[in-house]
Amino acid sequence: MLKIGTIGTGNIVSEFIEACREVSGVEVSCLYSRSLEKAKIFALKNNLSVRIVDNFEDMLDHIDIIYIASPNGLHYQQAKYFLQQQKHVLIEKPATFLAQELIELREVAIINNVFLMEAFKPLHLPAYQVLQENVNRIHPFLATFHCNQYSSRMKEVLLDDYNSVFDETLGKGSLYDMLIYPVELAVALFGPVKDVKAMSHKLKNGVDINNVVLLRHHNNILTNIVCSKAAVGISDSEILSYDATINFTNLTKLETIMIYNRLTNKTMMLPLAAEHQNKMYYELQHFVNIINTGNYPEMQRLLDYSIAAIRILEAVQVNEEQQGELLNEIK
């Protein structure tokens, strides 16, 4: 039985705990929070009877895996600490702010004979395999990805009150918290990127809230991305080729996938296997399988996607600065 410790008390951790109850061979054994009182309330809310701690050292003898869902800017140091203590590490996206940091973490994992993975949900869903197979079949040249979700914190943001997601050192707003989804999916589906163009809207504190990004992949596929944490998106994502168009809904969950055939002028809904209601089940199950089989090549493959995506986010940030941002603030 692999024992899991968690860092964080947000909704994503509650979802992860439910996934742990569905995956065989694991159990949550320890919960960390800087506030013991807050952690106790969280444990009660999630029907957890586990060890509750407010420092990392008290976790070490009670866990095999650490799940890190702290603010983005804390991921690197926390992951490095646990890897050096020979604990397997599952980090929420984005794994780090810098690609070089994730490369270093990968090396630390290998040196300490443990495993590291970014908790990037879409790549582990059964629907992703259906999407990938059909992308390979139609030979696309252009894609448009929409990833727009109105932040639950927008009321505070509009009053210039920024929580960790919109903090310039802890979250970096839409650039890292949301844009990672379409960027990493594009890398996985279409391959490495050779050119990046980007513009953004920024909040008063300089953090991104809306992004428009254009990627040119090495195979010359173009991916156009629209990403916002200030609006509810209703447009689907599309992948275009000469004879077919793939349409899919909810980029983070891949809920439905359709394909239009130009030659027959017909649209078909692609059959998707029944999935677990909790989508985090799949990434946790995959990570457990990697650990149990000692599958370092699979760890490397997935981290290659994560590293490539973070490199692109770094390029987006530089490109925005070079091009000049749209200066009208969200109000």
Side-chain angles (χ1 to χ4, degrees):
M1 181 69 70
L2 292 169
K3 296 182 179 181
I4 300 179
T6 64
I7 299 177
T9 54
N11 291 336
I12 192 71
V13 182
S14 295
E15 188 178 351
F16 178 78
I17 289 168
E18 285 303 312
C20 290
R21 291 176 172 138
E22 297 180 25
V23 173
S24 61
V26 302
E27 65 177 9
V28 177
S29 61
C30 199
L31 173 65
Y32 166 87
S33 175
R34 289 176 298 173
S35 166
L36 289 177
E37 188 60 34
K38 187 175 182 180
K40 289 175 183 177
I41 294 171
F42 179 82
L44 184 64
K45 175 184 173 184
N46 288 276
N47 298 315
L48 276 179
S49 179
V50 298
R51 179 179 295 271
I52 296 173
V53 302
D54 59 0
N55 70 81
F56 294 153
E57 288 185 1
D58 287 347
M59 303 180 81
L60 297 178
D61 292 337
H62 307 282
I63 64 169
D64 304 296
I65 300 171
I66 187 70
Y67 169 66
I68 299 175
S70 53
N72 301 334
L74 303 178
H75 289 180
Y76 166 70
Q77 290 293 347
Q78 291 176 350
K80 185 175 181 180
Y81 172 81
F82 283 100
L83 290 171
Q84 289 174 332
Q85 304 303 317
Q86 297 184 313
K87 305 301 177 184
H88 307 295
V89 174
L90 181 62
I91 324 176
E92 262 307 322
K93 58 79 196 165
T96 58
F97 282 154
L98 299 175
Q100 190 55 46
E101 291 177 339
L102 188 50
I103 291 170
E104 180 188 341
L105 292 180
R106 179 172 62 183
E107 293 171 352
V108 174
I110 293 171
I111 289 170
N112 285 278
N113 298 310
V114 289
F115 290 90
L116 168 69
M117 192 178 90
E118 180 187 50
F120 185 74
K121 190 183 305 177
L123 296 191
H124 305 282
L125 299 174
Y128 172 76
Q129 296 302 321
V130 175
L131 181 61
Q132 181 72 80
E133 289 168 6
N134 281 275
V135 165
N136 293 342
R137 186 169 60 83
I138 71 168
H139 305 294
F141 51 76
L142 181 64
T144 298
F145 287 174
H146 293 275
C147 191
N148 307 295
Q149 181 176 319
Y150 190 82
S151 172
S152 61
R153 299 286 185 166
M154 276 307 296
K155 183 178 180 180
E156 292 83 0
V157 168
L158 294 175
L159 296 173
D160 302 327
D161 179 12
Y162 309 119
N163 77 327
S164 61
V165 171
F166 294 101
D167 183 90
E168 60 183 338
T169 59
L170 291 177
K172 293 187 181 288
S174 61
L175 175 61
Y176 278 86
D177 197 64
M178 184 71 72
L179 189 60
I180 184 72
Y181 276 117
V183 165
E184 193 157 340
L185 184 63
V187 169
L189 287 173
F190 310 132
V193 167
K194 64 180 179 180
D195 195 15
V196 177
K197 302 295 182 185
M199 297 190 80
S200 69
H201 288 133
K202 294 183 182 293
L203 299 169
K204 286 183 177 179
N205 66 347
V207 168
D208 288 17
I209 186 70
N210 300 314
N211 304 89
V212 176
V213 176
L214 181 62
L215 308 177
R216 182 185 293 275
H217 299 262
H218 279 277
N219 53 17
N220 277 327
I221 293 174
L222 296 177
T223 302
N224 176 54
I225 297 171
V226 177
C227 176
S228 174
K229 289 185 74 70
V232 176
I234 59 173
S235 296
D236 299 337
S237 296
E238 289 189 325
I239 301 170
L240 310 177
S241 73
Y242 291 109
D243 294 329
T245 298
I246 295 173
N247 173 290
F248 60 94
T249 59
N250 197 332
L251 185 145
T252 65
K253 296 182 179 179
L254 305 180
E255 291 174 340
T256 63
I257 305 174
M258 295 185 294
I259 187 164
Y260 167 77
N261 187 311
R262 181 185 63 82
L263 301 177
T264 63
N265 195 30
K266 291 183 179 180
T267 300
M268 178 178 68
M269 183 77 72
L270 296 179
L272 302 177
E275 295 187 357
H276 284 259
Q277 186 173 1
N278 187 328
K279 305 300 183 183
M280 294 189 78
Y281 166 88
Y282 297 101
E283 60 200 79
L284 177 58
Q285 182 65 72
H286 199 162
F287 190 48
V288 169
N289 289 343
I290 288 172
I291 293 169
N292 288 337
T293 59
N295 195 343
Y296 278 99
E298 179 65 359
M299 181 188 84
Q300 296 271 21
R301 183 183 74 86
L302 293 171
L303 287 176
D304 282 346
Y305 291 146
S306 302
I307 291 165
I310 293 168
R311 280 200 174 109
I312 292 168
L313 297 185
E314 291 181 61
V316 166
Q317 194 166 12
V318 171
N319 195 258
E320 289 174 353
E321 293 167 357
Q322 290 175 343
Q323 298 292 330
E325 304 85 4
L326 300 177
L327 297 179
N328 46 309
E329 294 162 348
I330 303 300
K331 275 293 182 185

